[in-house]
Amino acid sequence: MCGIVGYIGKTAVREVILKGLERLEYRGYDSAGIAVKDDDKISLVKKKGRIEELSVEDLPESTIGIGHTRWATHGKPSDKNAHPFLDCSGDISIVHNGIIDNFVSIKERLRDKGHEFNSDTDSEVIAHLIEENYRGDLVEALRSSVKELEGSYAIVAIHSEKNEIAAARNQSPLVVGVGDGENLLASDVPALLDHTQDVKYLQDGDIVRLTSGSIDIWDRTGGEVERITKTVEWSIEDAEKGGYEHYMLKEIHEQPQAIHDSILGRLKGFEDLDLKRYRIDSIRLIACGTSFHAGLVGKYIIEEISSIPCMVEMASEYRYSSRLSEYPFTILLSQSGETADTLAAAKEASLRGCKTLGITNVLDSSLTREVDEVIYTQAGPEIGVAATKTFTTQIVVLYLLAMELGLMKKTLDVDKADNYRNELRRLPRLVERILDRSDQIKELSSELASAKDIFFIGRNINYPVAMEGALKLKEIAYIHAAGYPAGELKHGPFALLTEETPVIAICIKDKTYQKMLGNIGEIAARDSPIYGVGIEDKEIQKLSDHNIYIPEVMPLFSPVVVNVALQLFSYYTAYELGREIDKPRNLAKSVTVE
Ligand code: F6R
């Protein structure tokens, strides 16, 4: 999704913006641009393609500027549709993230007044609107302009005659970096970390004026407000690759630590979370993509541990479902906390009278403002577009939550809870043992790389793990894959099984074990190569062509361990195929459009 960087200060701005945009590359983009203010003039470069293709040497030396990476929503990826945009006079330049719903009517009105537009985007109207409202004060002009906008936006604007940057936020992330003799704005923290770890998270409706030595913020009522400065613990090293070839591999390897951090201090319950205040007779989990799969795993966890009935829904579908006269406690899962579908679902759930809990990885993300309660996953920044450690930590949080609910409702006895706690404490070590098998998985993955279709199968709690395994492979290796409950293949997909259709079968010694062996046997009879992922066992060995053994683990906790093996399968298959693993084509890290 689009990235924004704004800088005003003491350093040559071209390099600052370029570096900041690079740090936001993980969000995905298709074009980029930079505008700088120098000697009462705005100069601009923008282009379809990668940041490195921008001819920044054409820009003058300056210390005020804005930059943008665009992920197309209105108008194709192209040079003309890239940000920043200028007004008619060329004195005002803006970058924008989000979507302006009423841009067509604004454009028509401004056209009637003589404005000429050069792009197909919704964003360009903002520069022209500010021009219309400009009476010598950029912040005032921005304030009047956003009053006319419907939709979501993070807007950052500069004017050729002003030594300041003006910005506005509504439903699109924007963070101020508090520097020393310099100040910054960005859509996410990594872009600020080269300059400062002190940040102010803007809130919906906020307008801000930055100079090199001051930060003034007004809320939607127009009153001046203080937004507290927080020191982010993420160092630049945290946000960089740490010696791994890809962020994704680094993040897969960070999982033991991420699990540990997510459990830390929470095994006896979540501080600051008083669930007793809510009536929790049933639960609805809502999310998208990988977070949706975590929700599906969560259903098994919550029902098993707390005996509370649970259903799971995709955020993009939830809003259109029938309103029933029941108010399930609603949990919204989103690693970024910025996914538009999930935010819309959170709003809808509140409108329906449901109490809501958000589980997210990003401090102060938009989701945290839409829900009644929040739990952070504590995975640390995830840069690779494919979610890995955030999925694992979402599941870990769901174990902890299910235990808290079970103990609260007395549906979980204390001894059982102790067993679960012990198993949770073991998880980081168990995951390390899978990571130690990376070389073996890498070797097997080189065989998978030539496949056109791959099935992932599992049963019960490992059925959604199979779905997640398939999603990851599609996403980063660009191989078509389907995650199926093992018992379902014979109801249709069997027609696709040949010696060229590998099947990755998750086989855990749980209540489905014997049935699963039967399913694998049926597949073996159709000549599909079988890659068994499960506990070391002669039966599976007999039926499978290849095996990845996972360490002994309580079946309820097996998804965490199995999934790490599947992540490595996808990673090494994509690697073998030379894919752009951290930035898969057509995908964005946080999807802020519905
Ligand atoms: C897949 C992936 C996506 C996200 C989905 C929801 O690897 O990352 O499927 O899981 O876009 O994103 P969040 O969790 O940020 O709401």
Side-chain angles (χ1 to χ4, degrees):
M1 203 55 55
C2 308
I4 283 180
V5 184
Y7 176 86
I8 180 159
K10 50 195 177 188
T11 311
V13 74
R14 297 184 313 207
E15 282 69 34
V16 177
I17 304 264
L18 214 52
K19 186 91 190 152
L21 292 179
E22 270 168 28
R23 297 221 185 275
L24 296 179
E25 276 192 302
Y26 68 91
R27 296 166 73 90
Y29 69 100
D30 46 54
S31 58
I34 298 178
V36 304
K37 171 211 139 49
D38 174 55
D39 285 345
D40 297 345
K41 192 167 146 274
I42 303 273
S43 309
L44 186 148
V45 289
K46 56 182 191 170
K47 202 170 181 341
K48 179 181 169 191
R50 319 286 317 163
I51 297 168
E52 1 1 315
E53 290 164 37
L54 285 174
S55 28
V56 283
E57 57 290 350
D58 295 347
L59 293 172
E61 287 292 337
S62 150
T63 56
I64 304 176
I66 54 178
H68 190 268
T69 44
R70 174 173 187 257
W71 189 72
T73 52
H74 288 88
K76 286 192 178 125
S78 66
D79 292 356
K80 71 169 184 179
N81 287 339
H83 297 217
F85 291 106
L86 291 170
D87 66 336
C88 297
S89 66
D91 286 326
I92 295 167
S93 182
I94 66 105
V95 289
H96 163 234
N97 285 356
I99 290 183
I100 305 302
D101 292 334
N102 60 338
F103 86 99
V104 174
S105 59
I106 297 176
K107 201 167 179 174
E108 274 166 16
R109 183 161 52 80
L110 292 174
R111 223 182 232 137
D112 290 344
K113 289 187 162 189
H115 288 261
E116 281 176 19
F117 293 90
N118 299 309
S119 80
D120 313 315
T121 67
D122 52 341
S123 309
E124 191 182 10
V125 299
I126 301 168
H128 293 263
L129 208 50
I130 296 175
E131 181 179 26
E132 272 298 303
N133 289 313
Y134 188 73
R135 312 273 180 278
D137 184 333
L138 183 61
V139 169
E140 256 334 297
L142 179 61
R143 197 191 315 276
S144 311
S145 302
V146 296
K147 281 190 189 135
E148 299 181 50
L149 301 179
E150 287 166 21
S152 60
Y153 49 80
I155 301 166
V156 181
I158 51 174
H159 191 288
S160 62
E161 288 164 1
K162 297 275 170 192
N163 287 329
E164 65 183 29
I165 298 181
R169 175 207 150 119
N170 188 46
Q171 292 173 20
S172 222
L174 197 57
V175 195
V176 176
V178 185
D180 180 11
E182 57 182 3
N183 286 309
L184 302 97
L185 275 157
S187 26
D188 203 356
V189 170
L192 307 171
L193 290 178
D194 286 298
H195 296 262
T196 181
Q197 285 182 285
D198 293 335
V199 303
K200 287 176 186 288
Y201 291 93
L202 296 179
Q203 296 188 8
D204 283 347
D206 282 357
I207 305 262
V208 58
R209 185 204 315 267
L210 291 193
T211 67
S212 55
S214 65
I215 300 165
D216 299 307
I217 305 172
W218 298 267
D219 66 12
R220 66 166 84 247
T221 67
E224 197 158 351
V225 283
E226 212 15 76
R227 298 284 174 230
I228 41 171
T229 304
K230 297 187 179 173
T231 303
V232 287
E233 302 301 335
W234 301 353
S235 63
I236 290 180
E237 290 86 291
D238 280 340
E240 293 195 343
K241 288 184 202 151
Y244 290 96
E245 199 163 340
H246 295 97
Y247 284 113
M248 183 180 176
L249 190 60
K250 173 180 174 251
E251 286 154 7
I252 290 174
H253 280 263
E254 282 171 348
Q255 289 177 110
Q257 183 65 47
I259 297 170
H260 175 266
D261 292 348
S262 299
I263 299 171
L264 205 70
R266 291 165 161 183
L267 282 170
K268 291 266 154 65
F270 290 93
E271 257 179 46
D272 308 329
L273 189 68
D274 183 10
L275 294 174
K276 289 200 191 73
R277 289 187 289 160
Y278 304 108
R279 189 176 156 181
I280 310 181
D281 295 334
S282 67
I283 290 177
R284 192 188 294 253
L285 286 147
I286 302 177
C288 302
T290 290
S291 295
F292 172 69
H293 294 153
L296 289 173
V297 176
K299 172 187 160 67
Y300 291 93
I301 294 172
I302 291 171
E303 291 187 345
E304 178 71 27
I305 296 182
S306 71
S307 305
I308 300 173
C310 202
M311 71 171 286
V312 194
E313 209 159 343
M314 282 175 186
S316 54
E317 290 296 317
Y318 169 70
R319 284 169 88 190
Y320 310 102
S321 63
S322 307
R323 292 184 175 208
L324 304 171
S325 56
E326 38 137 356
Y327 308 101
F329 187 69
T330 302
I331 302 177
L332 297 118
L333 290 146
S334 172
Q335 84 74 24
S336 62
E338 300 295 345
T339 301
D341 284 318
T342 311
L343 292 176
K347 286 195 178 93
E348 176 66 20
S350 297
L351 277 178
R352 293 184 188 189
C354 302
K355 292 297 171 196
T356 54
L357 164 70
I359 299 179
T360 180
N361 193 42
V362 181
L363 189 77
D364 282 359
S365 54
S366 303
L367 180 65
T368 64
R369 286 185 282 280
E370 296 296 342
V371 288
D372 298 305
E373 302 289 343
V374 181
I375 301 178
Y376 289 106
T377 42
Q378 311 291 14
E382 189 175 72
I383 307 292
V385 164
T388 51
K389 59 178 179 168
T390 52
F391 173 75
T392 305
T393 52
Q394 283 171 342
I395 294 176
V396 166
V397 161
L398 288 165
Y399 289 121
L400 293 165
L401 181 65
M403 285 164 59
E404 180 141 345
L405 290 169
L407 290 170
M408 185 178 93
K409 293 182 88 73
K410 303 204 178 352
T411 45
L412 171 64
D413 74 52
V414 178
D415 289 343
K416 245 187 174 170
D418 273 339
N419 282 344
Y420 292 149
R421 285 192 193 105
N422 287 338
E423 201 63 358
L424 272 172
R425 283 194 196 95
R426 286 180 70 225
L427 281 180
R429 269 177 288 129
L430 299 182
V431 167
E432 265 161 22
R433 285 170 59 191
I434 291 290
L435 295 173
D436 290 343
R437 285 169 205 176
S438 294
D439 284 347
Q440 193 199 348
I441 297 178
K442 185 175 181 181
E443 212 177 298
L444 292 179
S445 301
S446 61
E447 296 170 23
L448 289 178
S450 57
K452 296 274 173 291
D453 291 291
I454 298 181
F455 280 103
F456 287 74
I457 57 167
R459 295 187 80 128
N460 196 252
I461 196 166
N462 279 301
Y463 156 43
V465 178
M467 292 169 80
E468 172 57 13
L471 176 65
K472 214 90 303 175
L473 192 81
K474 282 187 275 220
E475 217 182 340
I476 61 164
Y478 314 156
I479 295 177
H480 177 258
Y484 254 90
E488 272 294 302
L489 280 198
K490 57 184 172 293
H491 298 291
F494 257 28
L496 293 171
L497 296 184
T498 68
E499 63 277 10
E500 285 171 6
T501 324
V503 176
I504 298 186
I506 307 167
C507 193
I508 296 301
K509 277 208 166 157
D510 61 4
K511 54 194 168 196
T512 68
Y513 177 68
Q514 286 303 334
K515 286 272 186 297
M516 187 71 197
L517 286 180
N519 296 143
I520 297 177
E522 292 155 10
I523 295 163
R526 269 94 194 157
D527 294 332
S528 287
I530 295 167
Y531 294 70
V533 180
I535 314 276
E536 190 159 358
D537 179 88
K538 285 213 170 55
E539 296 297 321
I540 312 175
Q541 215 170 22
K542 260 193 273 164
L543 293 167
S544 310
D545 299 284
H546 310 280
N547 282 99
I548 291 297
Y549 295 121
I550 65 155
E552 290 282 348
V553 57
M554 208 185 269
L556 183 63
F557 290 79
S558 60
V560 171
V561 187
V562 170
N563 182 59
V564 175
L566 302 192
Q567 290 170 350
L568 288 168
F569 264 119
S570 293
Y571 174 81
Y572 286 116
T573 307
Y575 187 86
E576 178 76 17
L577 292 164
R579 305 297 191 219
E580 242 191 309
I581 293 179
D582 284 331
K583 281 173 267 167
R585 68 181 177 213
N586 303 336
L587 297 182
K589 182 69 181 164
S590 56
V591 183
T592 52
V593 288
E594 285 176 49

